Amino acid sequence: MKMIQHLRCLLTAVLGLGALAALAGTADAETTTLDAIRARGYLLCGIGEVQVGFSQASPAGERSGLDVDFCTALASAVFGSKDAVKFWPLSANDRFKALQSGDVDVLARGATWTLSRDTELGARFTDVLFYDGQGFLTRRGNAVASALELSGATVCALPGAMGEQGVAEFFGAKRMRYQIVAQDSWDDLVKAYAGGSCTVLTGDVSLLAVARSKMATPGDHMILPELITKEPLGPAVRQDDAQWFGVVRWTLMALVEAEELGLTKENVDAQRAATEPSIRRFLGLEANLGQALGLPRDWAYQVVKNVGNYGEVFDRNLGAKSDLKLARGLNNLWTKGGLMYSMPFR
């Protein structure tokens, strides 16, 4: 320590405080997350171990899911290549530790954005990639179209905040009667519902969609439209790099903006000949919006060309083109009654 202090004093005497500060600033600038990723040649993305619809691997090892596609989009923005990414499957206990330690550049593993996580874990959430929340699954034969019609129902629920507590608060606020059928594990809870032990199964809608897809006849079951809790899921980065935060945030925005503009994976090349200023600006043809982010001029074009828009990503992983058949709901565009909304690209 004394040696370091002695060297600092010598440098101050020779260069002056201003020059020394400038050198320190240059050293800091050379160690940004974006620069480290470029020097490495690929992105390190933290994802879930097995989360159907979000992160899963085929027998051949090919990964797919909403979180996987987001990281692929991020790699496309930085490198222009969807393959410049390596995935690190992380458990719930290890996910934020891996981000803090620098083992991953971005945490895309479905984590709910909360105040404590955004302030106490050295992480900063960039935006919402998927609006999840506690809902209800029931049989179509029950002739129930809304959670408001569940008075007197038996409810299969896990103990705790994401199960019994949410049910108690919802039914209590609506002054509806109910009876809990509890199990300690999700698998046992699904079996209880499938066996007819309860009228409805409650849990995060993303989990309910997976449970429905595994029923003997998935079409006989429906997810009711109401959510009774808020579980916004989105990518997180470390708090110490504003530039990288911007890159991750605006990559998510680009997926949504592309859908708003009608740009798809199939038509984006043809749309390079479009005359609409908003499209030309987004594709980097009349403005260099990537410069402020430290990205190439055509970064948003690369995102759409390699991955598609948000609607395409949603549909193939969670929606109509997937086994889960999950309705867009809150994850639809703001112009269609949802909450997905891109800040202006200008």
Side-chain angles (χ1 to χ4, degrees):
M1 180 62 71
K2 289 183 178 180
M3 179 64 72
I4 293 174
Q5 292 174 340
H6 180 64
L7 289 173
R8 182 177 290 274
C9 289
L10 287 175
L11 285 171
T12 302
V14 174
L15 299 175
L17 286 172
L20 185 60
L23 284 174
T26 300
D28 290 340
E30 292 175 351
T31 57
T32 65
T33 303
L34 184 57
D35 286 339
I37 291 169
R38 285 199 171 113
R40 187 194 305 132
Y42 54 87
L43 171 75
L44 291 171
C45 175
I47 55 173
E49 293 173 307
V50 180
Q51 291 179 293
V52 178
F54 294 87
S55 170
Q56 55 201 27
S58 70
E62 296 179 355
R63 295 194 178 276
S64 63
L66 186 70
D67 296 337
V68 170
D69 275 354
F70 176 74
C71 285
T72 300
L74 193 54
S76 299
V78 174
F79 293 104
S81 170
K82 63 181 181 179
D83 299 320
V85 56
K86 291 189 177 181
F87 297 101
W88 287 93
L90 298 168
S91 68
N93 291 333
D94 293 335
R95 53 190 171 179
F96 287 102
K97 296 175 185 176
L99 181 64
Q100 292 168 352
S101 66
D103 290 340
V104 296
D105 304 309
V106 60
L107 179 62
R109 184 196 188 283
T112 301
W113 184 356
T114 68
L115 186 150
S116 58
R117 287 174 175 170
D118 207 33
T119 56
E120 299 174 5
L121 297 178
R124 190 179 179 198
F125 286 82
T126 57
D127 215 298
V128 179
L129 183 62
F130 180 77
Y131 289 95
D132 207 348
Q134 188 175 351
F136 299 99
L137 178 71
T138 191
R139 291 170 177 79
R140 293 186 183 277
N142 291 330
V144 174
S146 167
L148 299 176
E149 301 172 7
L150 292 177
S151 184
T154 51
V155 184
C156 282
L158 290 173
M162 294 306 299
E164 289 186 75
Q165 182 178 325
V167 171
E169 292 177 359
F170 174 74
F171 279 78
K174 303 300 180 183
R175 297 183 179 180
M176 299 192 307
R177 296 176 295 104
Y178 70 97
Q179 181 178 346
I180 287 289
V181 177
Q183 296 287 345
D184 290 330
S185 79
W186 178 252
D187 288 343
D188 289 340
L189 200 67
V190 173
K191 289 178 183 178
Y193 168 79
S197 297
C198 52
T199 310
V200 293
L201 171 66
T202 188
D204 282 353
V205 166
S206 56
L207 291 175
L208 296 179
V210 175
R212 177 178 60 180
S213 72
K214 296 180 179 179
M215 296 290 168
T217 310
D220 290 347
H221 305 264
M222 64 180 293
I223 297 173
L224 299 179
E226 294 86 1
L227 296 181
I228 64 173
T229 66
K230 298 183 292 184
E231 301 296 332
L233 310 179
V237 297
R238 289 180 292 278
Q239 293 180 345
D240 57 359
D241 194 329
Q243 181 194 36
W244 181 237
F245 173 90
V247 170
V248 177
R249 164 180 275 181
W250 282 97
T251 297
L252 196 161
M253 294 287 182
L255 291 169
V256 178
E257 177 76 357
E259 186 177 8
E260 292 187 21
L261 293 173
L263 298 173
T264 69
K265 190 174 182 180
E266 296 301 322
N267 74 14
V268 70
D269 281 327
Q271 288 296 312
R272 291 169 68 86
T275 58
E276 290 88 344
S278 57
I279 292 178
R280 295 185 65 79
R281 193 163 52 241
F282 178 83
L283 296 177
L285 299 172
E286 290 189 356
N288 188 359
L289 298 179
Q291 185 174 11
L293 295 169
L295 296 177
R297 188 183 185 106
D298 67 344
W299 68 279
Y301 160 80
Q302 295 291 345
V303 168
V304 182
K305 181 62 179 176
N306 285 310
V307 181
N309 64 41
Y310 181 82
E312 291 178 287
V313 173
F314 185 98
D315 282 349
R316 66 172 169 259
N317 293 303
L318 299 167
K321 296 181 180 179
S322 75
D323 292 337
L324 304 187
K325 310 297 181 190
L326 193 61
R328 286 287 292 268
L330 296 181
N331 296 290
N332 216 333
L333 293 180
W334 64 286
T335 53
K336 297 180 179 180
L339 297 179
M340 298 310 293
Y341 185 109
S342 172
M343 301 304 111
F345 271 65
R346 61 174 185 261

